[in-house]
Amino acid sequence: MTLFEKIIAREIPAQIVHEDGQCLAFRDISPQAPVHILVVPKKPVPRVAAAEGADEPLLGHLLVVAAEIAKKEGIAESGFRVVVNNGPHGGETVPHLHVHLLGGRPMHWPPG
Ligand code: 5GP
């Protein structure tokens, strides 16, 4: 099981902010912004590069949920960033697809 599968199974505790049939969203343990939430599919797709055509609705769902959480967290108006790290150069550390939702402060561009 991946770390995030263990969180989904409630084997590892997390501050959960959203759950539905397709995904779980919880606060990042090492927040990089005042709001830093991970939106994780219950299906353990390793990374976006491993997604298949059948995963297209799921990938869209993760973004819609991220936008809904941004509204609930009060960062929709000020703005936010969604990030998906893929592979070693992308900064991926957990091999279970996840969307980072970051906000509550201005973001820099280009990213590091
Ligand atoms: P990645 O680097 O793969 O894009 O993102 C993995 C994220 O998972 C990191 O931001 C890291 O802080 C977060 N993370 C790692 N372990 C845990 C954990 O046990 N609980 C929570 N809530 N987040 C975690």
Side-chain angles (χ1 to χ4, degrees):
M1 277 174 101
T2 67
L3 171 67
F4 291 165
E5 282 180 283
K6 289 178 184 168
I7 290 176
I8 290 163
R10 308 305 202 265
E11 289 179 17
I12 294 175
Q15 286 185 269
I16 294 167
V17 299
H18 171 89
E19 181 169 24
D20 62 41
Q22 296 183 78
C23 70
L24 187 75
F26 49 89
R27 296 191 192 281
D28 197 291
I29 203 167
S30 176
Q32 302 302 309
V35 175
H36 187 173
I37 289 165
L38 304 173
V39 187
V40 180
K42 291 185 173 176
K43 178 183 176 185
V45 179
R47 61 193 55 79
V48 73
E52 299 171 340
D55 297 319
E56 195 172 325
L58 174 61
L59 300 192
H61 183 70
L62 300 178
L63 289 181
V64 170
V65 167
E68 287 170 353
I69 295 170
K71 281 184 205 144
K72 283 185 201 153
E73 294 285 322
I75 57 170
E77 292 298 320
S78 55
F80 57 87
R81 182 169 290 172
V82 289
V83 174
V84 181
N85 295 326
N86 188 108
H89 281 192
E92 172 198 316
T93 59
V94 178
H96 184 143
L97 179 63
H98 48 283
V99 171
H100 294 257
L101 169 65
L102 297 143
R105 66 165 172 82
M107 299 292 154
H108 303 294
W109 192 263

